Amino acid sequence: MPLARSLSVTSLSGLEEWDEEFDLEDAVLFEIAWEVANKVGGIYTVIQTKARLTSEEWGENYFLVGPYVESNVRTQVELIEPTNPALKRTIDKMNSSGCKVYFGRWLIEGSPYVVLIDVGFTAWSLDTWKSELWELCDIGVPWFDREANDAVLFGFLTAWLLGEYAAQSEEPPHIVAHFHEWLAGLGLVLCRHRQLPVATIFTTHATLLGRYLCAGNVDFYNKLANFNVDKEAGDRQIYHRYCLERAAAHCAHVFTTVSQITAIEAEHLLKRKPDIVTPNGLNVKKFSAVHEFQNLHAQSKNRIQEFVRGHFYGHLDFNLDKCLFLFIAGRYEFSNKGADIFLEALARLNYLLRVSVLRWFDVTTLKGQAVRKQLWDTAQTVKERFGKKLYESLLVGQLPDVSKMLDKEDFTIMKRAIFATQRQCQPPICTHNMLEDSSDPILNCVRRIGLFNSSADRVKIIFHPEFLSSTSPLLPMDYEEFVRGCHLGVFPSYYEPWGYTPAECTVMGIPSISTNLSGFGCFMEEHIADPSAYGIYILDRRFRGVDESCNQLTSFLFQFCKQSRRQRIIQRNRTERLSDLLDWRYLGRYYISARHMALAKAFPDTYYYELNEPTSTSGFRYPRPASVPPSPSLSRHSSPHHSEAEDNDEEERYDEDLEAEKDRVNIRQPYALPFKNKSAVYGANGNSDSVTSEKN
């Protein structure tokens, strides 16, 4: 099936041509972020997963800069002596001047060098540096904002580090400094003010004001051009933070953001249009066996089912093999992350399923786990007694009398176990005891919609307000294992600059629901002609009211529940095949483009860059798959009875190899970056055939 062409600013093959090679031998890259070896949010994932690709490009000249957090360093960083002479002299000079700077390797894929700065050790300079900031930029930081105070300390120390490195270098260096988010942005402003020989890049992953406005229940995206940004920031007491972010965006040689939807937001709120969009990627792990990711799904699903058996003990009146596990995860922002309309859609879905006599289950408790184990132990005891009697009967050459294999004591043990599982109350909604649960937005919403896990409810809810961990006594699973065991991820976010949660679902072969207000959703809409056919459902939240969006989400969920088992397997295979689209080996090219652009702007005598508008042939969109669409509205089999009967239908078999062969012509492999001695031409010529190859 031929690829359909489309005009696209951020298409995968739409990068500009380079007229000259970029020799990176004498250039050094510093990537600066508060989340280097310090997991706080999504930026940690961006930097951690991108490190291997960047290390391959820059080799020994790539350094990550972040804050020193002792608890993190103990488990993530191997402290060593700097191998770069200029950097060693820089760190020694700073340490002798009253700082504490550490150097080591971050123990992640790629093992990049890290420079970690102890901001607390130099807190004695805070007032001095605040005064300097006020004199230079007219930005005053209040004493009570600890996060902003950390940003001031971190900014001055990183500018000190870069300036000292330039002074300690024997030859005039070509330094590229890439700053992520406002917490690191002050260092960029100081570099430009001090006229350091540094090419600067600033990436905003989400604007401060955008996050606050969306949390305030405003019609954000349709009224972007009408906001008085200074007043809005002042009303929310973040004006000083907003000023730091806006200053960094305007001072940078190259300003980037993670998606087109955030680029529009930045243009209106930060008053600068991004030079390039740098979508977030992941390290995609491809399995040698084509069936392996499906087997992992089955294994993880079984572990979730064990947890559910414990949570619903005494009320397990539904067949777990006929249940679908849906989940939502992310930062606890009730409206921004779409938990409000997800819960409302579940209530409507519950009604539809009760009317249609369908069963559905939503996932993710402590006493119940102990009861489940007790039942298992009882069953094992009875089984051992049964087995011993069976063995003794066979020894004497007699067929066992089944009516005599279980005696009165066995029945007594089993009855006691059954009575122990009875409980008068409904299964709990939340797995934890919540402080001030009367004010929790999720629990209040559950009370309002009336989903209390009653026997009549076809939708069951479990609220797990904690990070998943394999060491948890409640649900001993890591997040990745949990996602693999589910059937659908639901992320109807109102404010989602990128969206790592649906992206992670995609690379693990799990369908997901996203929105056209998320960077991920817009990216998929742009590059896939029919996203739903690949298991990527895009909810319209920009041009519809909340009630309309909720109805659309309910429709997506209801249609997914009506799919047969075979249709879900086909869809998971298609979803997993999209993972190449999100690989850093594809999307890392945008960061390469941004760095080359910054070098050309900062050092025009050495580097040359010419911005070309994308041609009409740039970009491509995956068309609708050639194989049978899995959508229930387009499939011949959509009744719930077909799904139940299908398990015993030996005639209808799913041939994965045949389905893959039909789809293979539609999906191209990512562009392989030509790393050769850190000196190569990076770019594309607008022809998708020049940067892609057919998958073997």
Side-chain angles (χ1 to χ4, degrees), residues 348-358 456 458 558 640:
R348 300 181 187 188
L349 177 65
N350 186 50
Y351 170 77
L352 292 176
L353 295 182
R354 290 171 67 175
V355 170
S356 304
V357 198
L358 273 171
R458 300 273 60 84
F558 187 60

Side-chain angles (χ1 to χ4, degrees), residues 1-6 529 618-623:
M1 183 177 291
L3 294 172
R5 301 282 185 177
S6 67
S618 66
F620 64 86
R621 287 164 61 89
Y622 291 176

Side-chain angles (χ1 to χ4, degrees), residues 134-154:
W134 174 256
E135 293 171 0
L136 295 178
C137 308
D138 291 335
I139 299 176
V141 177
W143 64 270
F144 56 82
D145 191 342
R146 180 171 179 176
E147 199 170 15
N149 289 337
D150 287 342
V152 172
L153 292 169
F154 189 56

